[in-house]
Amino acid sequence: MAERTTVFTLSTGPVDAYPEVLAGISRPVRYDFDPLYLAEYERIVERARVALGTAAAPVILQGEPVLGLEAGAASLIAADDVVLNLASGVYGKGFGYWAARYAKEVTEIAVPYNEAISPETVRTKLAERPDVTIVSVCHHDTPSGTLNPIDEIGAVVAEHGALLIVDAVSSWGGMPTSPDACHAALYITGPNKCLGGTPGLTILAVSEAAWEKMAANPAAPRASILSILDWKDAHKADRPFPFTPSVAEMNGLDAALALYLEEGPEKVWARHALTAAACRAGIKAMGLSLWAAREAIASPTCTAVAVPDGVSADALLTEAQMRYGVVFSKGRKETDGKLVRIGHMGTTARPLYATLAVTAFGGALNALGHTVDVGAGVAAALSVIDAAP
Ligand SMILES: *Cc1c(COP(=O)(O)O)cnc(C)c1O
């Protein structure tokens, strides 16, 4: 137990990228004005459009998804907008701070960080506040491992006539979700979570209404890394790029999208769901508790486990890595120290990884003197896997 080694990265992002993605990144780096590269870029954006299951070409912003979130706030929210921010975790709460920089007012629905936002409370709030023009929500608030029902929330927001900003960074590609299904104006995601890619790009779906709103917003950034408008139609081979695209990252994204589409999104989602179900069964069979208030809101891309009383989350993480070379994710901000997260994303959304996760988690707890029955945990995980069709 002398050295820290990393053998299995079961994180909630960035994730261990697929070998094909790494091979993609090693493709030749082309000059961005090379007509052959322009055509290549257009082809990759088209592949992203197909993967998103939407009609309009997405924008690829050249920085990891926080760029997309911040650019979305800066571009869509004008000085006369009232934003309703939905906060059920660290990311949802955090978006409200960006929104406050640009909006006339930010009002919020906040729930405990092991809970989800109900569409009914959104409906009630919007009835009280008919002046709300933009609603923001995080689909899977990763530091809690919990999901918000964005399709139902999106329907309520659409009925009200407001625009919806969705952070789908750690859900898209790992479960059935799309910009159209939740009526998103801006739908922000990226390659470095469920797609098994690397952190370096934002995939951004923009609705027609959002393009109009951004174009009419005098404060929307132009000639800036935060400008979404500058990238409109940048994928068209007859347009110049606003600045140099991250060519190598784009090549990696291309490979990740190819894997996703070749395997078939439904199959990809099914293995995320099965891995999570097996993992949860194992965790519960060891007498441990999920962080989520109800299993129904637990994400299929992450299992957040409440750290038992008297155990230190950091000690558990250290033990899992030192003994077994297994890396889990820690909590963030309000959830730091209270939970440990097991990622089921991309490469690690393979059912047998559930048994690995349960073994390392339980073994680490035993080493810390919190005795659990690892065998019962593994057996429970395996029985879920074996019962799958
Ligand atoms: C990973 C993630 C992002 C990207 O942000 P980082 O903090 O830079 O990793 C944004 N939103 C959610 C929900 C994420 O899980």
Side-chain angles (χ1 to χ4, degrees), residues 204-261:
L204 177 66
V206 183
S207 77
E208 204 40 58
W211 280 125
E212 281 168 25
K213 175 93 167 70
M214 291 189 290
N217 177 9
R222 302 303 304 242
S224 156
I225 192 118
L226 290 180
S227 182
I228 298 173
L229 287 165
D230 288 358
W231 283 86
K232 188 171 198 288
D233 295 332
H235 62 284
K236 291 189 179 158
D238 59 351
R239 302 288 182 101
F241 295 112
F243 54 85
T244 306
S246 305
V247 177
E249 290 291 340
M250 288 296 297
N251 289 337
L253 171 63
D254 188 29
L257 291 167
L259 284 175
Y260 182 67
L261 293 172

Side-chain angles (χ1 to χ4, degrees), residues 24 30 41 45 64 79 84 87 100 124 132 187 230 237 313 334 356 360-361 369:
R30 303 293 185 201
Y41 191 93
V45 173
E64 74 96 34
L84 170 58
T124 306
V132 167
Y187 184 92
D230 288 358
E334 285 84 346
L356 175 77
F361 205 101

Side-chain angles (χ1 to χ4, degrees), residues 17 20 34 44 64 122 143 167 169 180 199 219 229 318 365:
E20 290 88 341
D34 177 344
I44 298 170
E64 74 96 34
V122 178
D167 173 347
V169 177
D180 293 0
L229 287 165
T318 301
L365 281 175

Side-chain angles (χ1 to χ4, degrees), residues 43-96:
R43 189 185 57 68
I44 298 170
V45 173
E46 171 58 13
R47 200 166 252 182
R49 184 194 68 75
V50 172
L52 280 167
T54 190
V59 170
I60 312 292
L61 293 178
Q62 308 294 313
E64 74 96 34
V66 163
L67 171 61
L69 293 169
E70 199 174 339
S75 302
L76 195 73
I77 303 171
D80 55 355
D81 280 312
V82 176
V83 176
L84 170 58
N85 186 52
L86 307 179
S88 60
V90 172
Y91 282 96
K93 183 75 187 171
F95 191 84

